[in-house]
Amino acid sequence: MNFIFKSIGHYQLASPNTEDQSRKFFTEILMFREVKKPLSLSSNGGLWFESGSIKIHVGTEDNFIPQEKRIQHLKLKISTNLNNI
């Protein structure tokens, strides 16, 4: 079967922070908009954010253990020219 990827639906990140800390980081620092999770998933905890076509799902973990060989990260390209938005 031949196919090509058209886009990425969302990124799932694990965070050692509380939901309040994650919310502040994504909404106040990165300026993402928080979106409500579907009711069927809301009891699982975590937060969903969007900015333009970028969608990030953040799960918080009390016993978070970072990977030893790699650091989880997300690279964002930004524009400071608001006319391009």
Side-chain angles (χ1 to χ4, degrees):
M1 173 189 292
N2 294 327
F3 63 91
I4 59 172
F5 290 101
K6 295 176 93 175
S7 66
I8 294 175
H10 68 271
Y11 300 92
Q12 174 73 42
L13 303 174
S15 173
N17 299 315
T18 66
E19 287 189 2
D20 287 340
Q21 290 169 319
S22 294
R23 180 178 289 112
K24 183 174 183 170
F25 175 74
F26 280 96
T27 61
E28 295 180 21
I29 296 172
L30 296 182
M31 304 305 291
F32 275 70
R33 178 176 59 91
E34 184 176 358
V35 296
K36 286 192 174 200
K37 293 174 63 172
L39 188 58
S40 61
L41 298 175
S42 62
S43 63
N44 297 340
L47 304 163
W48 288 10
F49 302 97
E50 292 182 359
S51 180
S53 63
I54 299 171
K55 297 177 183 181
I56 299 176
H57 297 176
V58 179
T60 57
E61 299 181 9
D62 292 334
N63 299 316
F64 180 82
I65 301 172
Q67 294 180 349
E68 292 180 19
K69 294 184 179 181
R70 287 183 241 159
I71 298 173
Q72 292 185 15
H73 68 280
L74 176 67
K75 179 181 178 182
L76 301 174
K77 291 184 178 182
I78 63 169
S79 173
T80 56
N81 184 349
L82 298 181
N83 293 325
N84 291 338
I85 296 178

